[in-house]
Amino acid sequence: MKTALVTGGSGGIGSAVCRTLSENGYLVYINYNSSEKKALALADTINGIAVKFDVSDRESVNNAIKSTGHIDLLVNNSGISEINTFDSVNPDTADRILNINLRGTLNCSRAVLPDMIHNKSGVIINIASMWGECGASCEVDYSASKAGVIGFTKALAKEVAPSGIRVNCISPGFILTDMNRNFSDEDLRMIKEDIPLGIFGTPENIADSVMFLASDKASFITGQILGVNGGMVI
Ligand code: NAP
C-alpha cells in the first residue's frame, strides 16, 4: 500500500486531500499542529494516522518522518495567512508566515527525500496560491512565501527528476475554508464577481488535482504550477 503524508491534514483543504487519497488506496499520515480533535476525528473515518508536528520546527519534522517510515507522496499543504498592510504586520507574524509556508515546505521535503532518492521514486506536491503568482495587496508576506514555494517547486523538480521523483505545485484560487472565515458577505460577493467562472472553489477541487498529479496519469508532468482558480489568474 502506498503511503502519503499531508501536512495541515487537519484543515479545510488538507482534510479533503486526506479523504481523497484514502479513497484511492493510500495509507495517509494526517499532520496537524494545534487541531488535534479534527485530525483524530478524520483518522477515525479514513485509512489514516494522525501525526502532530510543527512544520516550521526542523527537528520535530525529522523525528516525525523517522517515525512514519517510507513516504511515497508528500503533500506540503500547511499554511497560514494574515491580511494587513505590509508595514502593519507584526514582524513575528511575518516570520511565522515564511517559516510555516515556505520553510515548512522545505523542511518536510528535505526529510522525505533521502528515502525517495534511495528508492528512485516519489511524488511531492506543494500547495502554493494564486497570490504567489501575481501578488496580493495586504497579503505581501503571504504572497512572498507562496512565490517562494513556486520557485522551490521548479528548482527541486529539475534536481530530483533524474532520481525518478516528480515535484509539482497546485496554485489554488479562492477556496471556501477557515482561512477565509473573516471575510464579510459583502467581501465574498465582490470576490466572486472577480472569478470568471462565478463560483468559489471547494477543497475537493484541490483534492482532485492532487490525486491527478500524484497518479501515473501525470507521469510525464514535473516542475509545473497547476492553477485551480476558476480563471481568476490566467
Ligand atoms: P486552513 O483550513 O486554515 O488549514 C490550514 C492548515 O495548516 C491546518 O491544518 C493547520 O493545522 C496547518 N498548520 C498551520 N500551522 C502549522 C504548523 N506550524 N505546522 C503544521 N501545520 C500547520 O486553510 P486551508 O484553506 O485549508 O489552507 C491549506 C493550504 O492552501 C494553505 O497552504 C493555504 O495557503 C493554501 N491556500 C488556500 C486558499 C484558500 O482560499 N483557502 C487559497 C490558496 C492557497 P492546525 O490547525 O492543526 O494547526
Side-chain angles (χ1 to χ4, degrees):
M1 178 178 289
K2 284 195 169 182
T3 53
L5 169 62
V6 180
T7 69
S10 51
I13 290 174
S15 57
V17 170
C18 292
R19 273 192 294 273
T20 298
L21 291 173
S22 170
E23 282 161 16
N24 283 275
Y26 281 85
L27 166 63
V28 185
Y29 290 99
I30 306 161
N31 160 250
Y32 67 97
N33 187 37
S34 55
S35 302
E36 184 172 40
K37 272 191 186 157
K38 284 187 191 170
L40 292 177
L42 180 62
D44 272 350
T45 60
I46 67 171
N47 184 18
I49 299 168
V51 198
K52 177 179 164 64
F53 61 89
D54 176 347
V55 294
S56 67
D57 176 346
R58 204 179 309 143
E59 204 182 323
S60 304
V61 169
N62 290 341
N63 288 337
I65 289 173
K66 262 185 209 138
S67 76
T68 63
H70 178 70
I71 297 292
D72 295 291
L73 167 66
L74 168 65
V75 183
N76 282 307
N77 164 76
S78 290
I80 59 168
S81 68
E82 163 90 0
I83 297 183
N84 213 334
T85 55
F86 180 58
D87 57 351
S88 305
V89 176
N90 178 304
D92 291 339
T93 304
D95 286 349
R96 263 171 51 75
I97 291 172
L98 275 176
N99 287 341
I100 293 171
N101 297 6
L102 178 56
R103 291 207 173 87
T105 297
L106 272 60
N107 289 341
C108 296
S109 303
R110 204 172 262 127
V112 299
L113 268 171
D115 192 42
M116 286 185 175
I117 291 169
H118 177 77
N119 286 297
K120 286 207 161 281
S121 79
V123 176
I124 297 178
I125 299 172
N126 301 318
I127 307 298
S129 162
M130 64 180 169
W131 300 137
E133 297 176 79
C134 65
S137 163
C138 295
E139 285 193 84
V140 174
D141 297 290
Y142 179 80
S143 300
S145 72
K146 295 297 189 175
V149 169
I150 289 171
F152 168 69
T153 301
K154 294 179 180 180
L156 186 67
K158 285 184 184 171
E159 188 171 305
V160 299
S163 298
I165 299 161
R166 294 187 297 107
V167 186
N168 286 294
C169 184
I170 292 171
S171 185
F174 196 97
I175 313 294
L176 281 179
T177 68
D178 271 2
M179 188 169 267
N180 297 315
R181 66 186 170 281
N182 293 328
F183 286 106
S184 66
D185 287 350
E186 180 57 11
D187 290 336
L188 292 176
R189 192 189 59 74
M190 287 193 303
I191 293 166
K192 209 188 231 179
E193 274 180 7
D194 285 339
I195 303 174
L197 282 179
I199 47 173
F200 293 122
T202 64
E204 288 71 26
N205 292 144
I206 306 304
D208 289 343
S209 304
V210 167
M211 196 54 234
F212 165 67
L213 287 174
S215 75
D216 287 345
K217 289 183 180 162
S219 59
F220 199 46
I221 301 177
T222 197
Q224 302 305 307
I225 315 305
L226 177 59
V228 184
N229 61 34
M232 200 160 166
V233 173
I234 292 179

